Amino acid sequence: MLRFFEDALGVPRFVARAAMRAAIWHLVFVGAVTVIKSGTNALFLARADPSQLPLLYVAVAAVVALVTSVLARLLSRSSPARVLDVGIIAAAIAVVATTGAAVLGVPGAPAAAYVVGEAAATSGSVLFWARIADAFQTRDQKKVVGLVGAGGMLGAALGGLLMRLIAETTGVAAPMVLSAVAWVVTLPLLGLLRTRGGAVANSDGNLWPALRYLSGRNYPVLVATLVVLLAATGAATDFVFRTAAAQARSEAEMAGMFGLLNTVVGVVVVLFQISLTSRLLGRLGVFAYVAIVPMLLVVTSAASMLFTGSFGLILAMKGIEMAGAYSLNQTAVSLLYNPMPPDLRSQVRTLIDGAIKKSGAAAAGLVLGGLALFAPLLVGPWLVAVVAGGTLLLVPLLRVRYLDALDDKLGQKKRFKPGAIDPSDKVTRTALQHALLADDPERVLSSLQALGESYVLTAEEGARLIEHADERVRAAALRQVPATSDTALTARLIAIAKGAGPRRPRAEAVRALARVHGDGAATIIAPFLDDDEPGVVAAAIEVAVRLPAAEA
């Protein structure tokens, strides 16, 4: 099995082994989180007033903001491995203590257990991914993150299924306590991972530059608005669902139902990510993709208003929202950071996905609490339709600002690192392809870099770029000439290689000729071995030594 993951990930065996350990712990962690959150929801809804849920959203936002702030400070002073161990043990103790207090009937304990469960899940996730960043080199992180993430989704499905099967037999508290213990018992798996031993750089936690960028630009404000609307949609959907679920259901029945819902959503999300995500992003683009969940929520909430009393529609609405919150929205939103400056992106993302997102959830909680208290008849699926509809109205404006911000980034003279722009969705890829035809060499070079070395230039793009006024553009385009035989292209490449122009484009033309002609390259390359330009000779020798011995 280790050999399989080694080949599949394209990493050395010791990296594959570490990735498997991380994936196993992530499976246990997320599975335990699913059990604990199913249990805390059931405890609160069965033992407290469900109308107080909006106040819990506010409390969760405040506690999570405080905890993540403390964790950021600790990570700036100690290694992620040490902070993770302390944080997970503290979280497990808090879960066990509040669960026990709720079972004993301590006033306010169900609410405390709910808040602790949410805070433990968030802080544990933050610490785990910080540990992954510490354990794996940057070049390996993108290769292993899929395996580690898949472990988490499998854990969510198994944890939900476990709660569904045993809740009515064991009660809610026992699985919750065992899950918290499982966090601690499996920590040695992460202890076996290597560590670079350093604290997270203080600059990573400095949000002032990101705050100035966020407050001074339209595009990041719109991204933040989208994240807030998605959080508000989640809060509205959650309130409507849990209020309906609390009616005529016991504590164990609710825990089992929440567990089964997590299982179904987990399986659906994994299948969706494997089979449809890349295809939809490639064919529709990120903005059509980000509209999928809000559109489905509008449809299901409208249907639940037409067919009042149908809990199945409300259950479907909650499942769609969970699928978006757990995976689908995250995939889309991550692509929206493409146009942002690479040196500020992590800080901006921390600010938007952390404080701003939680503030949006808190604000939604206050609004829901006010409506539940003063106008309870107004609380219902229509709220979900309104917020999700607002999200859909934002998407076209966000698309316009995204393309403007991306164009500004491409026009900067400062080169960004490979991978700074993800071209996997249709909108971004189309914008990059359009920029290839620009006269501005900076835009062309940035677009080529973003599209990557594997991108095959079209005939129109290749013909235009190899004649570009800028030498750098010509050389870069010649490096990406497609390896297909073409008489006209061959003639043009020979003319460039033999011409009196700059050295780099001539040398790249020789290499391109070798790619185009493949097996017949020896004959066409031979004349350039005696060229007067050393760079052209070096390119011809480089090509010749790579040819099969018989051909050379």
Side-chain angles (χ1 to χ4, degrees), residues 226-266:
L226 173 69
V227 170
V228 167
L229 285 173
L230 292 174
T233 303
T237 306
D238 188 75
F239 182 60
V240 171
F241 167 70
R242 299 198 188 284
T243 302
Q247 299 174 5
R249 287 178 178 83
S250 68
E251 182 176 285
E253 288 173 340
M254 283 189 286
M257 181 181 63
F258 297 152
L260 181 60
L261 180 60
N262 276 283
T263 298
V264 173
V265 170

Side-chain angles (χ1 to χ4, degrees), residues 444-504:
V444 177
L445 291 170
S446 295
S447 299
L448 283 171
Q449 182 183 40
L451 288 167
E453 295 181 356
S454 61
Y455 178 73
V456 178
L457 295 172
T458 65
E460 179 188 3
E461 293 165 350
R464 183 182 178 97
L465 294 181
I466 63 177
E467 304 293 344
H468 199 279
D470 191 280
E471 173 191 343
R472 298 171 300 163
V473 173
R474 297 200 300 274
L478 287 164
R479 283 194 291 270
Q480 293 184 232
V481 166
T484 54
S485 181
D486 184 298
T487 303
L489 177 61
T490 298
R492 186 62 194 128
L493 291 175
I494 292 175
I496 294 173
K498 290 182 176 180
R503 171 181 56 82
R504 288 193 298 174

Side-chain angles (χ1 to χ4, degrees), residues 24-84:
I24 293 171
W25 192 86
H26 199 213
L27 182 152
V28 173
F29 173 74
V30 176
V33 164
T34 303
V35 170
I36 290 169
K37 291 178 71 171
S38 298
T40 56
N41 278 280
L43 284 172
F44 179 81
L45 294 174
R47 302 176 185 232
D49 184 1
S51 66
Q52 300 301 310
L53 265 174
L55 298 180
L56 283 189
Y57 300 152
V58 178
V60 167
V63 171
V64 167
L66 176 62
V67 170
T68 52
S69 176
V70 171
L71 291 177
R73 189 175 296 274
L74 291 175
L75 287 170
S76 69
R77 298 176 178 178
S78 302
S79 69
R82 182 177 179 183
V83 179
L84 173 71

Side-chain angles (χ1 to χ4, degrees), residues 132-152:
I132 293 299
D134 176 58
F136 295 95
Q137 298 288 345
T138 303
R139 66 176 180 272
D140 294 328
Q141 287 178 21
K142 286 189 175 182
K143 297 178 181 179
V144 305
V145 70
L147 175 62
V148 176

Side-chain angles (χ1 to χ4, degrees), residues 7 57 100 106 111 180 222 237 245-246 281 291 346 392 421 438 441 444 446 450 461 514 520:
D7 294 338
Y57 300 152
V106 176
L222 289 177
T237 306
L281 285 171
S346 63
L392 292 176
I421 295 178
V444 177
S446 295
E461 293 165 350

